[in-house]
Amino acid sequence: FEAKKRQNGSVFYSASLDAGSQESLSLLSELRHAVEAGELRLYLQPKVDLQSGRIISAEALVRWQHPERGLVPPMQFIPFAEQTGFIRALTAWVIEASAAAWAQARAQDLALRISVNLSTRDLLDQDLPAKIQAMLDAHGARSDALCLEITESAIMDDPQRALHTLQQLQERGFKMSIDDFGTGYSSLAYLKRLPVHELKIDKSFVMAMESDLGDAKIVRSTIELAHNLGLSVVAEGVESAKAWRLLAALGCDEGQGYFIAKPMPQEQFLDWLRAWRAPEIGSIGADTMLS
Ligand code: C2E
Ligand code: MG
Ligand code: MG
Ligand code: MG
Protein backbone atom coordinates (compact mmCIF):
# COMPACT_ATOMS: atom_id res chain seq x y z
CA PHE A 1 0.00 0.00 0.00
CA GLU A 2 1.03 3.58 -0.45
CA ALA A 3 0.32 5.57 2.65
CA LYS A 4 2.27 8.78 2.94
CA LYS A 5 3.99 9.54 6.21
CA ARG A 6 3.87 13.17 7.17
CA GLN A 7 6.41 14.91 9.38
CA ASN A 8 4.17 14.55 12.41
CA GLY A 9 3.95 10.84 11.80
CA SER A 10 0.27 10.69 10.90
CA VAL A 11 -0.62 8.59 7.92
CA PHE A 12 -2.62 9.81 4.96
CA TYR A 13 -3.93 7.53 2.32
CA SER A 14 -3.44 7.62 -1.40
CA ALA A 15 -5.83 6.33 -4.04
CA SER A 16 -3.88 3.14 -4.56
CA LEU A 17 -4.40 1.37 -1.26
CA ASP A 18 -4.60 -2.35 -1.90
CA ALA A 19 -8.28 -3.10 -1.37
CA GLY A 20 -7.71 -6.28 0.65
CA SER A 21 -4.86 -5.07 2.83
CA GLN A 22 -4.99 -4.60 6.59
CA GLU A 23 -4.48 -0.84 6.21
CA SER A 24 -7.31 -0.66 3.76
CA LEU A 25 -9.67 -2.56 6.03
CA SER A 26 -8.86 -0.33 8.96
CA LEU A 27 -9.34 2.85 6.92
CA LEU A 28 -12.68 1.51 5.75
CA SER A 29 -13.81 0.93 9.31
CA GLU A 30 -12.51 4.37 10.27
CA LEU A 31 -14.59 5.90 7.48
CA ARG A 32 -17.68 3.99 8.57
CA HIS A 33 -17.09 5.20 12.08
CA ALA A 34 -16.62 8.76 10.79
CA VAL A 35 -20.13 8.79 9.35
CA GLU A 36 -21.68 7.35 12.52
CA ALA A 37 -19.68 9.60 14.83
CA GLY A 38 -20.57 12.71 12.84
CA GLU A 39 -17.01 13.48 11.75
CA LEU A 40 -17.92 14.42 8.19
CA ARG A 41 -18.37 18.14 7.54
CA LEU A 42 -20.35 19.79 4.80
CA TYR A 43 -18.50 22.73 3.30
CA LEU A 44 -20.19 25.06 0.84
CA GLN A 45 -18.58 27.23 -1.81
CA PRO A 46 -20.71 29.90 -3.52
CA LYS A 47 -21.11 30.29 -7.27
CA VAL A 48 -21.72 33.82 -8.48
CA ASP A 49 -23.63 35.13 -11.46
CA LEU A 50 -20.77 36.91 -13.23
CA GLN A 51 -22.99 39.58 -14.77
CA SER A 52 -25.19 40.55 -11.80
CA GLY A 53 -22.87 39.54 -8.94
CA ARG A 54 -25.70 37.60 -7.28
CA ILE A 55 -25.16 34.28 -5.55
CA ILE A 56 -27.67 31.69 -6.68
CA SER A 57 -26.00 28.44 -5.90
CA ALA A 58 -23.27 26.70 -3.95
CA GLU A 59 -21.24 23.52 -4.30
CA ALA A 60 -21.21 20.96 -1.51
CA LEU A 61 -17.66 19.81 -0.75
CA VAL A 62 -17.09 17.25 1.97
CA ARG A 63 -14.29 17.21 4.55
CA TRP A 64 -13.43 14.78 7.30
CA GLN A 65 -12.85 16.30 10.73
CA HIS A 66 -10.58 13.58 12.04
CA PRO A 67 -9.98 13.52 15.80
CA GLU A 68 -6.20 13.13 15.37
CA ARG A 69 -5.43 14.14 11.82
CA GLY A 70 -7.46 17.32 11.75
CA LEU A 71 -9.42 18.46 8.72
CA VAL A 72 -8.80 15.91 5.96
CA PRO A 73 -9.41 17.13 2.38
CA PRO A 74 -11.62 15.04 0.08
CA MET A 75 -8.84 13.94 -2.24
CA GLN A 76 -7.39 11.96 0.68
CA PHE A 77 -10.44 9.78 1.21
CA ILE A 78 -12.84 10.11 -1.76
CA PRO A 79 -10.70 8.00 -4.14
CA PHE A 80 -10.48 5.32 -1.45
CA ALA A 81 -14.22 5.49 -0.83
CA GLU A 82 -14.77 5.08 -4.57
CA GLN A 83 -12.49 2.07 -4.72
CA THR A 84 -14.21 0.26 -1.87
CA GLY A 85 -17.78 1.16 -2.78
CA PHE A 86 -18.17 3.14 0.43
CA ILE A 87 -18.76 6.18 -1.76
CA ARG A 88 -22.45 5.34 -1.97
CA ALA A 89 -22.90 5.83 1.77
CA LEU A 90 -20.77 8.95 1.59
CA THR A 91 -22.79 10.39 -1.29
CA ALA A 92 -25.98 9.69 0.63
CA TRP A 93 -24.56 11.58 3.61
CA VAL A 94 -23.63 14.57 1.42
CA ILE A 95 -27.04 14.68 -0.26
CA GLU A 96 -28.85 14.46 3.06
CA ALA A 97 -26.67 17.23 4.52
CA SER A 98 -27.18 19.35 1.40
CA ALA A 99 -30.95 18.94 1.52
CA ALA A 100 -30.87 20.00 5.18
CA ALA A 101 -28.73 23.03 4.28
CA TRP A 102 -31.17 23.93 1.51
CA ALA A 103 -34.09 23.74 3.95
CA GLN A 104 -32.24 25.91 6.46
CA ALA A 105 -31.62 28.56 3.78
CA ARG A 106 -35.22 28.31 2.67
CA ALA A 107 -36.44 28.91 6.22
CA GLN A 108 -34.53 32.22 6.11
CA ASP A 109 -36.01 33.16 2.73
CA LEU A 110 -32.76 32.51 0.93
CA ALA A 111 -33.12 30.68 -2.37
CA LEU A 112 -30.20 28.41 -3.11
CA ARG A 113 -29.45 25.56 -5.44
CA ILE A 114 -26.88 23.14 -4.08
CA SER A 115 -24.53 21.16 -6.32
CA VAL A 116 -23.39 17.73 -5.17
CA ASN A 117 -20.55 15.73 -6.71
CA LEU A 118 -21.35 12.21 -7.88
CA SER A 119 -18.76 9.57 -8.70
CA THR A 120 -18.70 6.66 -11.12
CA ARG A 121 -20.06 4.19 -8.59
CA ASP A 122 -23.01 6.44 -7.88
CA LEU A 123 -23.90 6.45 -11.56
CA LEU A 124 -23.98 2.67 -11.59
CA ASP A 125 -26.49 2.65 -8.72
CA GLN A 126 -29.90 2.18 -10.31
CA ASP A 127 -31.66 3.14 -7.08
CA LEU A 128 -29.88 6.49 -6.81
CA PRO A 129 -32.61 8.65 -8.41
CA ALA A 130 -35.26 7.33 -6.00
CA LYS A 131 -32.93 7.67 -3.01
CA ILE A 132 -32.16 11.30 -3.83
CA GLN A 133 -35.82 12.04 -4.34
CA ALA A 134 -36.72 10.59 -0.95
CA MET A 135 -34.12 12.72 0.83
CA LEU A 136 -35.29 15.89 -0.88
CA ASP A 137 -38.93 15.10 -0.19
CA ALA A 138 -38.14 14.65 3.49
CA HIS A 139 -36.86 18.24 3.58
CA GLY A 140 -39.66 19.66 1.45
CA ALA A 141 -37.25 20.45 -1.39
CA ARG A 142 -38.21 20.30 -5.04
CA SER A 143 -35.92 18.36 -7.33
CA ASP A 144 -34.47 21.49 -8.89
CA ALA A 145 -33.04 22.47 -5.50
CA LEU A 146 -30.23 20.08 -6.33
CA CYS A 147 -27.67 19.94 -9.13
CA LEU A 148 -25.58 16.83 -9.62
CA GLU A 149 -22.00 17.32 -10.80
CA ILE A 150 -20.52 14.50 -12.81
CA THR A 151 -17.07 14.40 -14.38
CA GLU A 152 -16.51 13.37 -17.97
CA SER A 153 -14.38 10.44 -16.84
CA ALA A 154 -17.11 9.14 -14.52
CA ILE A 155 -19.48 9.07 -17.46
CA MET A 156 -16.99 7.53 -19.87
CA ASP A 157 -16.24 4.65 -17.47
CA ASP A 158 -19.46 3.01 -18.59
CA PRO A 159 -21.26 5.44 -20.91
CA GLN A 160 -24.34 3.28 -21.49
CA ARG A 161 -25.19 2.78 -17.84
CA ALA A 162 -24.22 6.31 -16.92
CA LEU A 163 -26.48 7.71 -19.62
CA HIS A 164 -29.33 5.54 -18.36
CA THR A 165 -28.95 6.86 -14.79
CA LEU A 166 -28.61 10.44 -16.04
CA GLN A 167 -31.82 10.09 -18.02
CA GLN A 168 -33.62 8.83 -14.93
CA LEU A 169 -32.28 11.71 -12.90
CA GLN A 170 -33.44 14.09 -15.60
CA GLU A 171 -36.93 12.59 -15.60
CA ARG A 172 -37.17 13.41 -11.92
CA GLY A 173 -36.24 17.00 -12.63
CA PHE A 174 -32.73 17.15 -11.15
CA LYS A 175 -30.30 19.60 -12.71
CA MET A 176 -27.03 18.12 -13.90
CA SER A 177 -23.61 19.47 -14.65
CA ILE A 178 -20.41 18.23 -16.32
CA ASP A 179 -17.56 18.88 -13.87
CA ASP A 180 -13.88 19.54 -14.66
CA PHE A 181 -14.65 19.90 -18.36
CA GLY A 182 -11.59 19.72 -20.56
CA THR A 183 -9.57 17.34 -18.39
CA GLY A 184 -11.31 14.10 -19.32
CA TYR A 185 -11.70 12.38 -22.62
CA SER A 186 -15.40 12.66 -23.30
CA SER A 187 -16.36 12.83 -26.92
CA LEU A 188 -18.40 15.69 -28.29
CA ALA A 189 -20.86 13.13 -29.62
CA TYR A 190 -21.63 12.14 -26.01
CA LEU A 191 -21.71 15.68 -24.76
CA LYS A 192 -24.48 16.41 -27.22
CA ARG A 193 -26.58 13.51 -25.91
CA LEU A 194 -26.13 14.06 -22.19
CA PRO A 195 -29.19 15.44 -20.39
CA VAL A 196 -27.18 18.11 -18.56
CA HIS A 197 -27.92 21.82 -18.22
CA GLU A 198 -24.50 23.07 -17.22
CA LEU A 199 -20.83 22.71 -18.01
CA LYS A 200 -18.02 23.60 -15.61
CA ILE A 201 -14.70 24.62 -17.12
CA ASP A 202 -11.88 23.03 -15.17
CA LYS A 203 -9.96 25.40 -12.92
CA SER A 204 -6.62 24.59 -14.56
CA PHE A 205 -7.67 26.54 -17.67
CA VAL A 206 -9.28 29.38 -15.76
CA MET A 207 -6.34 29.85 -13.40
CA ALA A 208 -3.89 29.95 -16.32
CA MET A 209 -5.88 32.10 -18.72
CA GLU A 210 -4.50 35.44 -17.53
CA SER A 211 -0.95 34.43 -18.32
CA ASP A 212 -1.43 31.94 -21.13
CA LEU A 213 -3.16 32.92 -24.34
CA GLY A 214 -3.72 29.27 -25.23
CA ASP A 215 -5.67 28.67 -22.03
CA ALA A 216 -7.64 31.87 -22.59
CA LYS A 217 -8.61 30.61 -26.02
CA ILE A 218 -9.68 27.24 -24.61
CA VAL A 219 -11.87 29.04 -22.08
CA ARG A 220 -13.40 31.20 -24.81
CA SER A 221 -14.08 28.23 -27.11
CA THR A 222 -15.56 26.18 -24.27
CA ILE A 223 -17.99 28.97 -23.38
CA GLU A 224 -18.99 29.18 -27.03
CA LEU A 225 -19.37 25.42 -27.36
CA ALA A 226 -21.51 25.20 -24.22
CA HIS A 227 -23.76 28.04 -25.30
CA ASN A 228 -24.16 26.53 -28.77
CA LEU A 229 -25.33 23.33 -27.07
CA GLY A 230 -27.76 25.32 -24.93
CA LEU A 231 -25.78 24.81 -21.72
CA SER A 232 -25.03 27.30 -18.98
CA VAL A 233 -21.28 27.68 -18.20
CA VAL A 234 -19.51 27.90 -14.85
CA ALA A 235 -15.82 28.77 -14.54
CA GLU A 236 -14.03 27.11 -11.61
CA GLY A 237 -10.89 28.63 -10.08
CA VAL A 238 -11.79 32.33 -10.34
CA GLU A 239 -8.97 33.75 -8.25
CA SER A 240 -8.88 37.41 -9.26
CA ALA A 241 -10.98 40.40 -10.29
CA LYS A 242 -9.26 40.26 -13.66
CA ALA A 243 -10.37 36.68 -14.22
CA TRP A 244 -13.93 37.67 -13.31
CA ARG A 245 -13.81 40.60 -15.77
CA LEU A 246 -12.46 38.52 -18.60
CA LEU A 247 -14.96 35.70 -18.02
CA ALA A 248 -17.83 38.18 -17.88
CA ALA A 249 -16.63 39.73 -21.14
CA LEU A 250 -16.53 36.27 -22.71
CA GLY A 251 -20.15 35.70 -21.69
CA CYS A 252 -19.46 33.06 -19.04
CA ASP A 253 -22.55 32.68 -16.86
CA GLU A 254 -21.22 31.83 -13.40
CA GLY A 255 -17.94 31.79 -11.52
CA GLN A 256 -16.64 29.89 -8.53
CA GLY A 257 -13.32 30.44 -6.86
CA TYR A 258 -11.22 31.86 -4.06
CA PHE A 259 -11.74 35.44 -5.30
CA ILE A 260 -15.41 35.06 -4.41
CA ALA A 261 -14.96 32.75 -1.42
CA LYS A 262 -13.21 29.58 -0.36
CA PRO A 263 -15.39 26.64 0.61
CA MET A 264 -16.64 27.30 4.15
CA PRO A 265 -18.33 25.24 6.88
CA GLN A 266 -22.04 25.04 6.20
CA GLU A 267 -22.83 26.81 9.50
CA GLN A 268 -20.99 29.95 8.30
CA PHE A 269 -22.44 29.98 4.83
CA LEU A 270 -25.78 31.72 5.41
CA ASP A 271 -24.16 34.57 7.35
CA TRP A 272 -21.63 34.95 4.58
CA LEU A 273 -24.40 34.96 1.99
CA ARG A 274 -26.35 37.68 3.79
CA ALA A 275 -23.25 39.84 4.06
CA TRP A 276 -22.22 39.37 0.41
CA ARG A 277 -21.91 42.51 -1.71
CA ALA A 278 -20.69 42.07 -5.26
CA PRO A 279 -17.38 43.92 -5.75
CA GLU A 280 -16.97 46.63 -8.38
CA ILE A 281 -15.06 44.66 -10.96
CA GLY A 282 -15.33 47.05 -13.92
CA SER A 283 -15.24 45.76 -17.44
CA ILE A 284 -12.66 44.76 -19.98
CA GLY A 285 -12.96 44.17 -23.69
CA ALA A 286 -12.36 40.48 -24.25
CA ASP A 287 -10.65 41.35 -27.55
CA THR A 288 -7.95 43.32 -25.75
CA MET A 289 -6.75 40.10 -24.16
CA LEU A 290 -7.70 37.66 -26.87
CA SER A 291 -6.62 38.96 -30.20
P1 C2E B 1 -14.44 19.59 -7.73
O1 C2E B 1 -15.79 19.02 -7.69
O2 C2E B 1 -13.91 20.01 -9.05
O3 C2E B 1 -14.46 20.83 -6.70
C1 C2E B 1 -13.76 22.01 -6.88
C2 C2E B 1 -12.46 21.99 -6.10
O4 C2E B 1 -11.72 23.15 -6.45
C3 C2E B 1 -12.65 22.06 -4.58
O5 C2E B 1 -11.59 21.36 -3.96
C4 C2E B 1 -12.50 23.55 -4.32
O6 C2E B 1 -12.11 23.84 -3.00
C5 C2E B 1 -11.41 23.90 -5.30
N1 C2E B 1 -11.43 25.31 -5.66
C6 C2E B 1 -12.50 26.12 -5.78
N2 C2E B 1 -12.15 27.36 -6.15
C7 C2E B 1 -10.80 27.36 -6.26
C8 C2E B 1 -9.83 28.36 -6.61
O7 C2E B 1 -10.14 29.52 -6.90
N3 C2E B 1 -8.53 27.97 -6.63
C9 C2E B 1 -8.15 26.70 -6.33
N4 C2E B 1 -6.85 26.41 -6.36
N5 C2E B 1 -9.03 25.73 -5.99
C10 C2E B 1 -10.35 26.05 -5.96
P2 C2E B 1 -11.86 20.30 -2.79
O8 C2E B 1 -12.94 20.78 -1.89
O9 C2E B 1 -10.54 19.96 -2.19
O10 C2E B 1 -12.41 19.05 -3.56
C11 C2E B 1 -11.61 18.37 -4.49
C12 C2E B 1 -12.41 17.35 -5.25
O11 C2E B 1 -12.87 16.32 -4.37
C13 C2E B 1 -13.67 17.91 -5.90
O12 C2E B 1 -13.36 18.59 -7.09
C14 C2E B 1 -14.45 16.63 -6.11
O13 C2E B 1 -13.97 15.96 -7.25
C15 C2E B 1 -14.07 15.82 -4.88
N6 C2E B 1 -15.13 15.96 -3.88
C16 C2E B 1 -15.29 16.90 -2.92
N7 C2E B 1 -16.41 16.67 -2.19
C17 C2E B 1 -16.99 15.56 -2.73
C18 C2E B 1 -18.17 14.81 -2.44
O14 C2E B 1 -18.96 15.13 -1.54
N8 C2E B 1 -18.41 13.70 -3.22
C19 C2E B 1 -17.57 13.34 -4.23
N9 C2E B 1 -17.89 12.24 -4.97
N10 C2E B 1 -16.47 14.02 -4.55
C20 C2E B 1 -16.17 15.11 -3.80
MG1 MG C 1 -17.56 19.59 -8.46
MG1 MG D 1 -14.66 20.66 -10.66
MG1 MG E 1 -11.97 18.84 -9.75
Side-chain angles (χ1 to χ4, degrees):
F1 84 105
E2 291 179 19
K4 294 180 202 125
K5 283 247 182 268
R6 296 170 90 225
Q7 286 102 320
N8 64 8
S10 68
V11 180
F12 280 170
Y13 300 86
S14 77
S16 46
L17 270 178
D18 180 355
S21 71
Q22 204 50 51
E23 288 79 9
S24 163
L25 288 176
S26 82
L27 178 58
L28 187 56
S29 75
E30 255 197 283
L31 254 180
R32 281 214 181 89
H33 172 79
V35 176
E36 283 154 24
E39 291 171 9
L40 295 184
R41 296 281 178 272
L42 185 75
Y43 273 55
L44 292 172
Q45 186 182 32
K47 292 197 269 174
V48 71
D49 179 316
L50 291 170
Q51 310 295 334
S52 71
R54 287 180 52 211
I55 308 284
I56 37 220
S57 55
E59 178 169 8
L61 295 158
V62 72
R63 274 100 179 86
W64 180 1
Q65 185 66 59
H66 193 282
E68 285 117 40
R69 294 182 199 134
L71 198 63
V72 183
M75 289 324 284
Q76 288 177 17
F77 60 94
I78 295 275
F80 175 79
E82 280 171 351
Q83 225 178 288
T84 53
F86 189 73
I87 191 73
R88 288 186 184 183
L90 202 136
T91 299
W93 184 90
V94 174
I95 291 172
E96 167 59 31
S98 298
W102 177 90
Q104 203 191 348
R106 179 75 196 73
Q108 299 180 27
D109 275 327
L110 296 166
L112 204 61
R113 174 177 291 156
I114 300 187
S115 294
V116 171
N117 293 285
L118 294 186
S119 69
T120 312
R121 291 258 199 160
D122 295 313
L123 289 180
L124 302 182
D125 178 4
Q126 306 293 324
D127 301 329
L128 182 75
K131 279 193 246 173
I132 298 177
Q133 182 97 60
M135 287 188 269
L136 290 187
D137 286 350
H139 288 281
R142 292 195 341 208
S143 48
D144 65 359
L146 207 67
C147 175
L148 303 164
E149 295 193 359
I150 303 133
T151 62
E152 298 166 85
S153 355
I155 293 164
M156 296 313 284
D157 261 14
D158 187 343
Q160 293 306 324
R161 282 181 76 180
L163 193 59
H164 179 73
T165 309
L166 294 186
Q167 278 159 351
Q168 300 226 293
L169 290 166
Q170 183 198 33
E171 274 165 31
R172 290 181 185 264
F174 301 116
K175 298 289 177 190
M176 279 170 282
S177 177
I178 304 287
D179 205 354
D180 301 348
F181 186 76
T183 58
Y185 58 102
S186 69
S187 78
L188 295 175
Y190 261 104
L191 187 61
K192 187 187 72 180
R193 290 173 56 198
L194 294 174
V196 300
H197 89 290
E198 178 187 278
L199 189 150
K200 293 184 85 171
I201 309 175
D202 189 69
K203 58 177 176 288
S204 57
F205 305 109
V206 178
M207 284 160 63
M209 76 179 174
E210 288 170 56
S211 55
D212 187 320
L213 189 59
D215 286 290
K217 286 180 175 172
I218 290 175
V219 170
R220 178 177 62 183
S221 317
T222 307
I223 294 169
E224 233 172 75
L225 170 70
H227 285 165
N228 285 336
L229 290 171
L231 306 176
S232 174
V233 198
V234 181
E236 300 182 329
V238 179
E239 292 194 341
S240 68
K242 196 172 164 195
W244 182 328
R245 273 198 298 277
L246 181 59
L247 289 162
L250 292 173
C252 187
D253 302 286
E254 289 174 53
Q256 175 180 352
Y258 294 172
F259 179 69
I260 297 123
K262 289 195 169 176
M264 62 192 102
Q266 179 241 313
E267 309 82 62
Q268 286 170 26
F269 186 79
L270 293 183
D271 286 340
W272 179 90
L273 188 57
R274 244 181 267 98
W276 166 254
R277 299 289 174 268
E280 271 304 325
I281 52 132
S283 62
I284 185 178
D287 38 332
T288 53
M289 271 192 76
L290 278 169
S291 41

